[in-house]
Amino acid sequence: MLQQLFSPSVLHTLDLIGIFVFAISGALLAVRKNFDVFGIAVLAEVTALGGGLFRDLVIGAVPPAAFTDLGYFVTPLLATGLVFFLHPHVERIQTGVNVFDAAGLGLFCVVGTVKAHDYGLGLTASACLGLTTAVGGGVLRDVLANEVPSLLRWDRDLYAVPAVVGATMVALCIRFDALTPFTSVLAVITAFVLRLCAMRYHWRAPRAWHRRSAVVEE
C-alpha cells in the first residue's frame, strides 16, 4: 500500500529527512548532558531509528530497514557530526528544528500505521504502531539520557496526541477504503499542524481530576 501511495524514491527521501531531524534532537540532548562523541552518536541513532526499529520487529519486517539500508544508519551520523561541531549554531535555530521535528512526527505516524496494516495487523494495532514509530525514538532517547520521557510530562506541549490523531485518521481511511495520497498527506498535515499549535499555544493534556499530590512541580 505504501508503494501505491508514494513512489519509493519519494518515500525514501522523506524517511531520511525525518530521520535526520530526529537525530539532531537526540544529538542536541546528548550535548546538553555533556556526553562524549560516542554518546552523541548513540543518542542520535536511537532517537532517529528507535521507533521504526521497534515497529519492524513487532510486525516481522526483518531484518529491519535500519539494517538493510545504509542511508538509514549513516544519516544520524551526519547529524552527529553537524551537532558535534556546530551545536551552538544549531541551538540558535531550535525553533526551525522543532518545525521539522513536527513534520517528521506527522510523516512517521502515517507511514508507520500504513506499514503495520500492510503486514496484516488490525486497525487499532496499526494505529498504535504508527504512534510508536513517531514517538518511540524520543522515549528511548529520554530514558538513555536519564530523563522522564517528554510525552509523559504534564509540563511539556502535546507531542503524542498529534501523532495519535494522525494515526487514527489513517486507520479510519483504511477502514472506509478512503486511503489515497491526498488523505495520507492530509493526515500528515493534521498531525503537523496540531503539533505546531501545541508548541505555539502551549497546549497540554489535562491531569487527574481533583488531583491531590505531594509531588513538587518543576
Side-chain angles (χ1 to χ4, degrees):
M1 188 179 294
L2 278 174
Q3 286 71 25
Q4 296 172 356
L5 296 173
F6 306 103
S7 69
S9 61
V10 169
L11 190 61
H12 188 257
T13 300
L14 292 174
D15 264 350
L16 291 181
I17 293 173
I19 286 171
F20 183 77
V21 175
F22 280 7
I24 285 180
S25 73
L28 284 174
L29 179 59
V31 170
R32 297 186 194 114
K33 290 285 186 176
N34 203 30
F35 287 7
D36 63 15
V37 64
F38 182 76
I40 297 172
V42 168
L43 223 57
E45 291 280 358
V46 166
T47 307
L49 305 176
L53 181 62
F54 178 82
R55 176 203 62 216
D56 288 350
L57 290 175
V58 169
I59 65 179
V62 291
F67 292 98
T68 58
D69 189 322
L70 186 61
Y72 282 34
F73 181 78
V74 171
T75 299
L77 296 181
L78 295 177
T80 298
L82 177 67
V83 172
F84 182 80
F85 290 106
L86 301 174
H87 62 87
H89 304 286
V90 177
E91 290 276 12
R92 283 199 289 268
I93 59 170
Q94 184 65 56
T95 300
V97 172
N98 287 341
V99 170
F100 282 105
D101 182 85
L105 181 82
L107 173 67
F108 283 1
C109 73
V110 170
V111 170
T113 302
V114 175
K115 185 170 183 178
H117 188 265
D118 284 348
Y119 275 78
L121 268 66
L123 295 179
T124 301
S126 296
C128 287
L129 278 183
L131 168 64
T132 302
T133 304
V135 306
V139 172
L140 292 174
R141 172 201 65 206
D142 292 342
V143 170
L144 288 177
N146 197 30
E147 291 199 348
V148 176
S150 295
L151 83 165
L152 300 181
R153 295 184 56 168
W154 73 269
D155 57 341
R156 298 297 173 88
D157 302 331
L158 292 179
Y159 193 79
V161 172
V164 169
V165 172
T168 301
M169 288 178 64
V170 173
L172 290 174
C173 286
I174 295 173
R175 169 65 179 82
F176 295 104
D177 198 25
L179 190 64
T180 65
F182 173 77
T183 56
S184 299
V185 171
L186 181 62
V188 172
I189 292 174
T190 299
F192 172 61
V193 171
L194 282 176
R195 173 58 180 159
L196 289 184
C197 289
M199 291 189 295
R200 174 65 177 82
Y201 300 106
H202 303 296
W203 291 348
R204 293 165 183 170
R207 289 181 286 170
W209 189 252
H210 291 159
R211 169 180 166 272
R212 296 289 185 272
S213 175
V215 176
V216 177
E217 298 176 356
E218 296 181 2

